[in-house]
Structure formats: structure tokens, C-alpha cells
Amino acid sequence: VTGTWMGSTTVPCTYVPSEGFTQQTLSWSLERDSSTSTIFRRDDSGDHILLSKFRGRVSVRKHSPGEASLLIQDLEMPDSGRYTCKVIWRSTDNSLITREVTTTVKVVKEVNPPCSSWELPSSLHQ
């Protein structure tokens, strides 16, 4: 996923809700420079943003089963990294099931397209 600096991007994470499974926790973590930190966690007590630099900038849609994508706003260059979405369900027999998916996010500064007036039209290339 590529996001533009100061813009917003959605890091995808979707699953098919299954009968008899209840979502226990949903967490998003960011791996950068070989260290991993949890950004966001949703559990019975609500939504928690655990990294202060992401407060007010990240959110996960509520009340949409199967949709756990992370929306990041006001992207900053250090937001680049590997984001892991981890969902834990509890099944009817109380066993826990964990699924995770990792997406690499690259934040880029939008550059104006280079001036190409000096290039020959493609019809002239021999």
C-alpha cells in the first residue's frame, strides 16, 4: 500500500465472520527498524490507541463485521513500515483462533510530474 505524505490511506484487513465465533481482540502493530509496537487494540473494553503519535490519526470502522481495515490520516514519513492486523476469536468450545495479515505501507511525498516537454512524441521514435 502506498500513501501520500499528509494524506490518508487504508491498510486492508478483512475476514469472513463465522457462526459461533466471537471476536475477542483486534490489534494492529507496526514493525519498523526491526522493532514492533502495537498501535491499536480493540477488545471488550473498547478501542485503545497505544502509540501516542497515532492518537487522533488512526481508526478502525465499528459495527461492520469482517471489516478491520486501519485508516491512517495525516500520514507522516515515519508511518512507513510493515503493519500487521491480528484478529483473535473465541469459538463455542472456548478455544482461541488467531489470524494475522501483514501489509507493507510506504509513505511517499507527492512529486509534481517531471516536465516532459523536451521528450519526442512517441510517433517520432524510430
Side-chain angles (χ1 to χ4, degrees), residues 74-92:
D74 301 329
L75 283 164
E76 295 168 8
M77 299 311 280
D79 294 345
S80 297
R82 287 163 54 83
Y83 287 77
T84 300
C85 168
K86 186 171 171 186
V87 184
I88 301 174
W89 295 273
R90 187 177 290 280
S91 67
T92 42

Side-chain angles (χ1 to χ4, degrees), residues 11-14 27-29 82-87 99-103:
V11 192
C13 180
T14 54
S27 65
W28 275 98
S29 55
R82 287 163 54 83
Y83 287 77
T84 300
C85 168
K86 186 171 171 186
V87 184
R99 290 278 179 278
E100 54 182 64
V101 60
T102 299
T103 306

Side-chain angles (χ1 to χ4, degrees), residues 30-37 53 77-82:
L30 168 59
E31 183 191 331
R32 247 190 117 234
D33 307 328
S34 71
S35 72
T36 303
S37 36
K53 72 176 191 130
M77 299 311 280
D79 294 345
S80 297
R82 287 163 54 83

Side-chain angles (χ1 to χ4, degrees), residues 1 7 19 32 35 44 52 77 91 94 98 105 110 112 117:
V1 174
E19 189 98 6
R32 247 190 117 234
S35 72
D44 297 340
S52 55
M77 299 311 280
S91 67
N94 267 351
T98 304
V105 173
E110 199 165 29
N112 295 329
S117 56

Side-chain angles (χ1 to χ4, degrees), residues 16-50:
V16 180
S18 305
E19 189 98 6
F21 289 89
T22 45
Q23 182 181 309
Q24 289 290 106
T25 57
L26 157 67
S27 65
W28 275 98
S29 55
L30 168 59
E31 183 191 331
R32 247 190 117 234
D33 307 328
S34 71
S35 72
T36 303
S37 36
T38 301
I39 302 169
F40 174 95
R41 200 171 92 222
R42 173 176 289 169
D43 56 26
D44 297 340
S45 62
D47 289 4
H48 309 279
I49 293 168
L50 306 171

